[in-house]
Amino acid sequence: MRLALLLLLAPFAFACAQETPVPTAQDCVPPDAAFTTAGWQTDFCERIVDLASIRSGGPPRDGIPPLDAPAFVPAVEAEAWLSDAEPVIVLELGGAVAIYPLQILTWHEIVNDTVGGTPVAVTYCPLCNAAVAFERPALSSEGGDGERLTFGTTGNLRHSDLVMWDRQTETWWQQFTGTAIVGELTGMQLTILPTALVSWAKARAAHPDAPVLSRDTGFDRPYGRNPYVGYDDEARDPFLYDGEVGPQLPAMARIAGVIVSDEDGDAEREGAEAARAYAFRDLAEVRVVNDALGGEPLLVVWQPGTASALNAEALADSRDVGATGVFRRTVATPGGLQALTFEATPDGIRDVETGSIWTLFGEAVTGPLAGQQLDRIAHHDVFWFVWSAFQPDGDLWRPAR
């Protein structure tokens, strides 16, 4: 009788098994998600962020096309299409220097490149004004390094910041922090490299022989034109951002943000313990800040002469917002490391101890310390709302009144 019952129920059990699909990674995405999973092989069950915080920015995957085989031209050739005040990213690594104009990065957002023998991704999120360079790691493999990651644009945003993806695992990455937030490599942290976001004139003067990213990209884009006209107006609201904004500054105010590793060495996680922002409006007033953060003696400097990439339609006509540099304010001496104190003078940045004059790139050009280079510290020149989103517990430096 039991056998007869099993035979009778078998078709129904088979039907039920057919009607119950095997869960997939896409099943971990809520039906009201503000982005599409179509065509993605990403494991959405592996994540460290709420998927509700991710939303489509409009373009599809790589609709803003990254540059995978960037071409470069000598500075003398770039002179024909770069104005003095235009903003550029300067990356110095392994004894080599490369210059990436924002008039190109605005239209591509990611350049997969190699500088000084190191594979890098140079990125720019216009909605955050976040210029960040990373080392591109290799996937682990038996017997040595595996394939190096290459990055593209997902077309999605989180806290209005670019969400990148890697083509090897289709993991999604937060551009501002360099953290894998969804997918196979979730939790992995990219190494952030120090860069300078400065004017073309300052970059050219400091590195006259450095190659410059070419406008010969293989894409037809109006390089030199700003598709985000007026976006950095402090009276406006950021695009697709509904998070909290610290009350100290307008959402679109520019700041230089510095993050020092916590005791676990996790320098870029959201809410890191030692994080401080310096408002451009305050830096423009004092020009030089001697500070300390997380036990590190810091020098934060600001100089005028660098235009916004997000103001006028033509970058050459954009308003001056200035540029910053962040360094350890110590130098090696026969007696060990010495912390210097800096001040702004008509001749430039001067250290009180020796009277040497230093550049925005942290190099002493005159005086007893001429030729010495301060250690660069990676920092973020971004809008205040971005800092509020990713470093809500960070403090804001204010000048003494």
Side-chain angles (χ1 to χ4, degrees):
M1 181 176 180
R2 178 179 297 176
L3 178 60
L5 182 60
L6 288 174
L7 291 173
L8 180 65
L9 293 177
F12 296 98
F14 180 74
C16 290
Q18 281 190 317
E19 293 172 4
T20 305
V22 177
T24 67
Q26 277 70 18
D27 293 327
C28 293
V29 180
D32 59 349
F35 59 90
T36 181
T37 63
W40 286 101
Q41 300 302 310
T42 304
D43 183 354
F44 294 99
C45 298
E46 290 290 332
R47 60 182 186 266
I48 55 173
V49 300
D50 184 353
L51 293 180
S53 66
I54 301 174
R55 59 176 69 181
S56 171
R61 169 168 35 182
D62 285 345
I64 299 175
L67 300 179
D68 295 323
F72 290 82
V73 297
V76 66
E77 187 173 328
E79 291 278 4
W81 44 268
L82 274 171
S83 62
D84 281 352
E86 276 194 52
V88 300
I89 300 169
V90 179
L91 174 60
E92 186 171 357
L93 192 61
V97 181
I99 298 174
Y100 304 84
L102 290 199
Q103 66 159 260
I104 301 174
L105 264 292
T106 295
W107 294 96
H108 296 283
E109 300 192 357
I110 298 174
V111 180
N112 292 295
D113 199 7
T114 298
V115 177
T118 299
V120 299
V122 180
T123 71
Y124 177 63
C125 174
L127 296 177
C128 298
N129 194 53
V132 192
F134 308 100
E135 183 175 342
R136 291 191 288 116
L139 293 174
S140 59
S141 66
E142 294 184 5
D145 281 350
E147 183 180 1
R148 290 281 176 172
L149 297 184
T150 56
F151 295 92
T153 59
T154 63
N156 299 316
L157 303 171
R158 179 168 177 266
H159 301 325
S160 199
D161 178 55
L162 164 66
V163 177
M164 312 185 298
W165 69 290
D166 72 71
R167 298 184 180 118
Q168 287 66 35
T169 72
E170 298 203 15
T171 297
W172 290 10
W173 302 75
Q174 189 79 59
Q175 182 256 1
F176 181 79
T177 64
T179 306
I181 58 174
V182 180
E184 178 182 334
L185 301 181
T186 290
M188 186 173 177
Q189 174 68 54
L190 299 176
T191 298
I192 294 182
L193 304 170
T195 58
L197 181 57
V198 300
S199 70
W200 165 236
K202 285 185 171 62
R204 183 187 62 231
H207 304 289
D209 299 322
V212 181
L213 181 65
S214 170
R215 299 205 293 187
D216 183 13
T217 63
F219 296 92
D220 183 15
R221 297 292 187 274
Y223 299 122
R225 313 304 291 182
N226 167 29
Y228 305 92
V229 176
Y231 182 68
D232 62 353
D233 185 343
E234 289 193 5
R236 69 172 297 156
D237 294 324
F239 180 68
L240 291 182
Y241 180 77
D242 53 13
E244 296 294 324
V245 177
Q248 302 97 317
L249 295 170
M252 303 298 289
R254 276 180 163 81
I255 63 97
V258 184
I259 304 169
V260 175
S261 301
D262 61 19
E263 60 184 10
D264 298 319
D266 193 0
E268 293 293 330
R269 70 176 175 83
E270 296 175 26
E273 292 178 357
R276 183 166 298 152
Y278 303 80
F280 271 40
R281 59 179 63 181
D282 292 330
L283 293 176
E285 178 183 333
V286 299
R287 301 293 181 99
V288 170
V289 176
N290 296 285
D291 203 0
L293 181 64
E296 292 280 6
L298 297 185
L299 168 65
V300 183
V301 299
W302 179 94
Q303 287 184 357
T306 300
S308 166
L310 303 164
N311 173 232
E313 181 179 0
L315 267 64
D317 299 332
S318 285
R319 65 187 176 92
D320 185 353
V321 294
T324 67
V326 180
F327 310 92
R328 289 182 180 87
R329 53 183 178 89
T330 54
V331 293
T333 69
L337 286 178
Q338 178 186 4
L340 299 178
T341 306
F342 293 84
E343 61 183 4
T345 74
D347 297 325
I349 306 160
R350 174 182 177 273
D351 73 76
V352 174
E353 286 74 14
T354 74
S356 300
I357 299 297
W358 303 73
T359 70
L360 183 62
F361 293 90
E363 181 185 2
V365 289
T366 66
L369 298 180
Q372 289 232 31
Q373 173 69 56
L374 298 176
D375 290 338
R376 302 174 182 84
I377 293 181
H379 72 288
H380 299 280
D381 286 347
V382 293
F383 296 126
W384 173 244
F385 82 85
V386 185
W387 190 256
S388 295
F390 290 101
Q391 294 297 334
D393 299 323
D395 57 24
L396 176 65
W397 178 87
R398 303 311 296 260
R401 302 294 185 186

